[in-house]
């Protein structure tokens, strides 16, 4: 592609970062925000505009602000490029999948979000309450998934309409499907940058090392002193909401709260523990993002899923020919309204699979949500161990019955209950 064409694409672009943590001021290194140099090349939005003490900034707030920006970018004859980030935020921006309840005001001191208040209650109690007002949604959610359970209760409390009813209405709209409502913008395409897992793991480990070299520890110390130290002293720190849930802050909690209060050897051990934990969590999250792309777009495509074009980024020495040139050609094709030369990624999908089906394993006393998860559970070591244990207990019970001396009274009782062979068949059948 010519330099003139590249320049024309970049000049017409406006980037929008969809990592939800990047909306907060501070922690620029740990949240991997785009540099000032990158922002000079292309204007970026949705970065560093929320006070770090705000804990009730929601995906609905994000969706509303980002949607207004996208419409403004279109109005200026430019192309919005959504970059990143947090899976749920991407879905909320591209599809009609959210339910808006009563408006909330951001407050740095007082939490006004009803969902946050509900999350403080017992998860099983919340799930029981949800099963009474919205049994359909309760059947799709695990009692331990407190956030989603609380959100569904919030929807019902603030609107008087069940969450499942809202979703049914969205799915029934023109362009909607089983995975959500219709797409909010036409002519979308998705560029999926993927790499070999070993290469990606090494790259992520190096990114953590680069963050440390760039001053990560000083950034964490300063942020902890200004925003978190008082909360820790009062035992009210919260690593589940706002910027405090970001990967890289809570992993260093022990190191930050004990620094200067323990021996240098202990402090060094806690630092190493935090670094290793950060690397592991980062790699785990990267795997989660890739699974989401496959499950949301490739394995379970709905009627309104945009095409996904895969770009292999394992070998950065081939960036120009393997990534940049194909990406620019795809984008330019969409701008001009014709089909790109590259073919979108296709994967075989199971149309019958239900990712929200409810299963109860009586053997393990566990609730399993989703067909795929259930299939994995019944093959798991823990389930097979419980199954073997149950069979052994049932076999012992049958043997005990067979070894009993048969008296007239006992014979009469056994006849009423059934023969040992019948009991054994019934036991095995129940297992």
């Amino acid at each position: 592609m010519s330099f003139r064409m590249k320049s024309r694409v970049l000049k017409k672009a406006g980037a929008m970062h969809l990592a939800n943590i990047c909306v907060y001021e501070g922690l620029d290194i740990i949240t991997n925000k785009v540099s000032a140099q990158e922002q000079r090349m292309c204007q970026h939005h949705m970065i560093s505009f929320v006070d770090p003490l705000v804990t009730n900034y929601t995906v609905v707030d994000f969706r509303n602000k980002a949607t207004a920006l996208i419409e403004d970018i279109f109005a200026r004859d430019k192309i919005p490029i959504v970059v990143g980030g947090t899976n749920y935020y991407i879905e909320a921006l591209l599809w009609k999948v959210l339910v808006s309840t009563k408006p909330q005001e951001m407050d740095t001191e007082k939490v006004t979000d009803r969902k946050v208040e509900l999350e403080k209650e017992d998860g099983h109690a919340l799930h029981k309450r949800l099963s009474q007002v919205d049994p359909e949604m309760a059947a799709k959610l695990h009692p331990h998934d407190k956030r989603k359970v609380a959100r569904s209760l919030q929807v019902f409390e603030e609107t008087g309409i069940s969450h499942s009813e809202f979703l049914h209405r969205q799915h029934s709209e023109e362009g909607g499907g089983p995975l959500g409502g219709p797409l909010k913008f036409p002519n979308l395409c998705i560029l999926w940058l993927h790499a070999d897992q070993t290469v990606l793991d090494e790259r992520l480990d190096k990114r953590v090392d680069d963050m440390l070299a760039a001053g990560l520890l000083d950034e964490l110390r300063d942020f902890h002193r200004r925003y978190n130290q008082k909360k820790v002293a009062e035992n009210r720190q919260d690593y589940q909401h706002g910027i405090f849930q970001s990967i890289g802050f809570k992993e260093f909690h022990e190191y930050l709260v004990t620094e200067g209060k323990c021996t240098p050897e202990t402090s060094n051990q806690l630092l190493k523990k935090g670094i290793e934990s950060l690397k592991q969590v980062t790699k785990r999250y990267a795997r989660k993002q890739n699974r989401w792309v496959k499950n949301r777009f490739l394995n379970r495509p709905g009627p309104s899923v945009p095409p996904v074009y895969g770009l292999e980024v394992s070998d950065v020495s081939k960036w120009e020919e393997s990534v940049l040139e194909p990406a620019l050609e795809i984008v330019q094709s969409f701008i001009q309204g014709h089909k790109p030369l590259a073919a979108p990624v296709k994967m075989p999908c199971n149309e019958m699979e239900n990712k929200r089906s409810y299963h109860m394993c009586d053997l393990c006393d566990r609730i399993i949500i989703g067909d795929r998860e259930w299939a994995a559970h019944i093959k798991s070591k823990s389930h097979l161990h419980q199954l073997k244990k149950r069979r052994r207990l049932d076999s012992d019970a049958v043997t005990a019955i067979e070894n009993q001396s048969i008296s007239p009274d006992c014979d009469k009782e056994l006849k009423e209950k059934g023969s040992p062979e019948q009991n054994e068949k019934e036991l095995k059948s129940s297992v």
Side-chain angles (χ1 to χ4, degrees):
M1 182 176 292
S2 67
F3 176 79
R4 184 180 299 175
M5 186 177 291
K6 294 177 187 177
S7 300
R8 190 161 63 245
V9 170
L10 289 174
K11 285 179 181 178
K12 287 179 67 66
M16 186 169 300
H17 211 292
L18 252 70
N20 66 324
I21 297 301
C22 288
V23 303
Y24 297 95
E25 298 171 350
L27 294 182
D28 293 357
I29 297 175
I30 199 64
T31 56
N32 200 34
K33 291 177 184 174
V34 293
S35 65
Q37 180 183 3
E38 291 170 319
Q39 293 197 45
R40 282 193 295 269
M41 295 175 62
C42 178
Q43 184 179 4
H44 286 65
H45 304 271
M46 304 298 289
I47 298 175
S48 299
F49 64 93
V50 179
D51 188 286
L53 293 180
V54 169
T55 59
N56 60 329
Y57 188 82
T58 69
V59 64
V60 176
D61 300 319
F62 186 97
R63 187 268 319 266
N64 294 343
K65 184 177 178 64
T67 300
L69 282 168
I70 287 177
E71 292 172 351
D72 176 67
I73 293 171
F74 276 132
R76 291 184 282 113
D77 195 29
K78 291 184 178 292
I79 302 167
I81 301 176
V82 176
V83 183
T86 306
N87 302 338
Y88 187 40
Y89 281 56
I90 296 174
E91 290 199 42
L93 186 61
L94 300 186
W95 284 271
K96 187 176 180 181
V97 293
L98 291 182
V99 176
S100 298
T101 56
K102 65 182 183 182
Q104 310 258 349
E105 291 185 4
M106 286 187 294
D107 191 339
T108 60
E109 298 297 331
K110 183 180 178 182
V111 175
T112 58
D113 191 345
R114 175 58 178 157
K115 175 174 167 286
V116 175
E117 293 296 321
L118 287 167
E119 287 178 19
K120 297 176 182 178
E121 300 182 30
D122 177 71
H124 287 278
L126 288 176
H127 192 269
K128 184 177 180 180
R129 199 188 313 170
L130 180 63
S131 65
Q132 294 171 347
V133 299
D134 191 354
E136 182 179 346
M137 185 58 69
K140 297 177 181 179
L141 299 177
H142 197 285
H144 293 168
D145 198 347
K146 192 184 291 188
R147 282 194 174 190
K148 291 184 179 179
V149 173
R151 172 56 180 162
S152 293
L153 277 172
Q154 179 196 23
V155 169
F156 178 78
E157 288 183 6
E158 296 182 354
T159 67
I161 302 173
S162 68
H163 197 175
S164 57
E165 175 58 27
F166 270 113
L167 297 181
H168 281 309
R169 294 178 185 180
Q170 289 179 352
H171 298 170
S172 62
E173 290 184 34
E174 184 178 356
L179 295 179
L183 282 168
K184 293 161 63 178
F185 304 100
N187 209 27
L188 288 168
C189 77
I190 295 175
L191 303 178
W192 177 33
L193 277 64
H194 58 89
D196 177 78
Q197 192 62 57
T198 303
V199 174
L200 180 59
D201 287 345
E202 293 174 355
R203 197 171 289 169
L204 292 172
D205 283 343
K206 184 178 182 303
R207 190 175 91 169
V208 172
D209 295 334
D210 291 342
M211 286 178 174
L212 290 164
L216 172 61
L217 293 182
D218 288 336
E219 177 182 85
L220 292 175
R221 289 190 191 100
D222 178 66
F223 193 87
H224 175 71
R225 177 181 56 80
R226 288 191 292 142
Y227 298 109
N228 200 46
Q229 197 168 37
K230 184 179 179 182
K231 290 185 175 184
V232 171
E234 297 172 354
N235 196 29
R236 58 184 184 90
Q237 71 272 14
D238 178 10
Y239 294 125
Q240 301 298 320
H241 299 94
I243 194 172
F244 299 97
Q245 65 183 307
S246 61
I247 294 175
F249 187 66
K250 55 184 176 292
E251 283 72 23
F252 288 92
H253 170 80
E254 288 184 273
Y255 171 74
L256 292 172
V257 299
T258 60
E259 190 176 22
K261 302 176 183 178
C262 60
T263 64
E265 292 78 12
T266 301
S267 184
N268 190 47
Q269 289 176 354
L270 292 175
L271 175 59
K272 288 181 179 179
K273 179 182 176 182
I275 293 172
E276 185 59 32
S277 178
L278 174 57
K279 289 182 176 181
Q280 292 297 328
V281 172
T282 301
K283 288 182 283 191
R284 193 181 307 132
Y285 186 69
R287 284 173 168 80
K288 180 181 178 181
Q289 287 180 310
N290 278 329
R291 284 197 303 271
W292 176 76
V293 171
K294 294 174 182 177
N295 291 338
R296 182 63 177 89
F297 300 116
L298 304 177
N299 288 342
R300 303 185 183 108
S304 58
V305 175
V308 178
Y309 296 91
L311 299 170
E312 169 62 49
V313 296
S314 296
D315 188 352
V316 292
S317 67
K318 298 180 180 179
W319 180 266
E320 290 279 338
E321 62 266 35
S322 299
V323 183
L324 180 60
E325 296 294 342
L328 290 171
E329 193 279 326
I330 291 168
V331 173
Q332 186 65 24
S333 297
F334 271 80
I335 292 173
Q336 296 175 347
H338 61 74
K339 189 176 181 180
L341 296 175
V345 179
K346 297 289 185 183
M347 288 184 68
C349 60
N350 185 357
E351 297 290 346
M352 301 301 293
E353 184 180 286
N354 183 355
K355 67 176 183 177
R356 284 296 178 189
S357 58
Y358 179 94
H359 304 271
M360 179 65 199
C361 181
D362 294 324
L363 276 175
C364 304
D365 192 25
R366 286 186 59 189
I367 297 172
I368 309 295
I369 303 296
D371 291 346
R372 186 179 304 182
E373 289 73 12
W374 174 249
H377 172 74
I378 60 178
K379 296 178 182 178
S380 66
K381 289 183 179 179
S382 61
H383 178 81
L384 294 175
H385 172 74
Q386 293 294 335
L387 185 61
K388 184 178 180 181
K389 184 177 178 181
R390 171 67 68 83
R391 285 173 175 165
R392 185 169 60 249
L393 290 172
D394 291 342
S395 177
D396 291 344
V398 171
T399 302
I401 293 174
E402 290 175 344
N403 292 337
Q404 287 180 352
S405 58
I406 308 299
S407 65
D409 292 337
C410 185
D411 184 48
K412 181 180 179 182
E413 183 179 349
L414 285 175
K415 285 181 180 180
E416 292 175 354
K417 291 184 177 179
S419 66
E421 290 78 9
Q422 289 175 324
N423 289 331
E424 183 178 4
K425 288 180 181 179
E426 291 176 5
L427 286 168
K428 289 181 178 180
S429 175
S430 66
V431 174

